[in-house]
Amino acid sequence: MEKVLVISSNKKASETLVNFLRESFGCSIRLAESAYQAKTALDSDTATELVVINSPLMDESGIEIAEYIIKNTAANCILIIKEDDAEKLSSSQNGSGIIFVGKPFSKSLLYQLIKTVDIAVTRSLKLYHENLRLEQKITEIQTIDKAKFMLMQYRDMTEDEAHSYVEQYAMNKRKKKSIAALEIIDKLSEKYL
């Protein structure tokens, strides 16, 4: 985990949380004292992976900003709140995505929660990048197929001939097949469309 935002109106709690996060995870930490400052910070940097809120804040309880974070950002959110409130909110906000931690809590509990979030973020990023790679591959295949279809339509080639033509063109031009296919599409579009 690289980017963390700590929201706390209590200076001593802020300092403790920041030191704990730096020592335990070595992440880049920004600090906000109010929900307003937090919204501004989140809007200016959308790469924040985790927000830790020490409730209450000077301008709200902390629940509203937690809901804002879950709805409007990709960041995970841990809300540190009084034990009684944590139990009530945890049951009423079930499935919201906010992680409630009751005060007082142990450092080991917070460490385990953040470590779990870190693992989930890392796995999600791997899946996201794999998904992007697969989408790019699909786009390349579609481009090659379009070039082959246009060759079959406008140059009366069979599918095998069109396939060989695209491969040969790519080899001769020393380009990826998808790039070569785009060039073929452009040339055929200029001539026939």
Side-chain angles (χ1 to χ4, degrees), residues 4-54:
V4 177
L5 174 64
V6 173
I7 311 170
S8 178
S9 298
N10 181 324
K11 299 243 187 240
K12 186 176 179 185
S14 298
E15 195 175 297
T16 303
L17 281 169
V18 167
N19 289 336
F20 169 74
L21 290 165
R22 279 203 182 111
E23 289 170 12
S24 300
F25 299 97
C27 48
S28 168
I29 300 169
R30 290 178 301 149
L31 190 58
E33 294 181 350
S34 67
Y36 176 77
Q37 286 179 355
K39 283 181 184 176
T40 304
L42 288 166
D43 290 343
S44 69
D45 185 4
T46 58
T48 301
E49 297 167 303
L50 175 66
V51 179
V52 180
I53 305 167
N54 181 38

Side-chain angles (χ1 to χ4, degrees), residues 121-160:
V121 165
T122 302
R123 292 189 74 208
S124 294
L125 280 173
K126 283 181 184 175
L127 290 172
Y128 174 76
H129 289 299
E130 178 65 11
N131 191 33
L132 282 179
R133 187 188 69 76
L134 291 173
E135 285 177 2
Q136 182 180 7
K137 188 72 174 165
I138 288 169
T139 302
E140 289 176 1
I141 290 168
Q142 289 172 333
T143 303
I144 294 165
D145 285 347
K146 182 176 180 181
K148 290 189 324 189
F149 174 76
M150 289 179 77
L151 286 167
M152 290 164 46
Q153 183 178 13
Y154 297 117
R155 296 248 179 112
D156 295 324
M157 293 184 181
T158 66
E159 186 174 356
D160 289 338

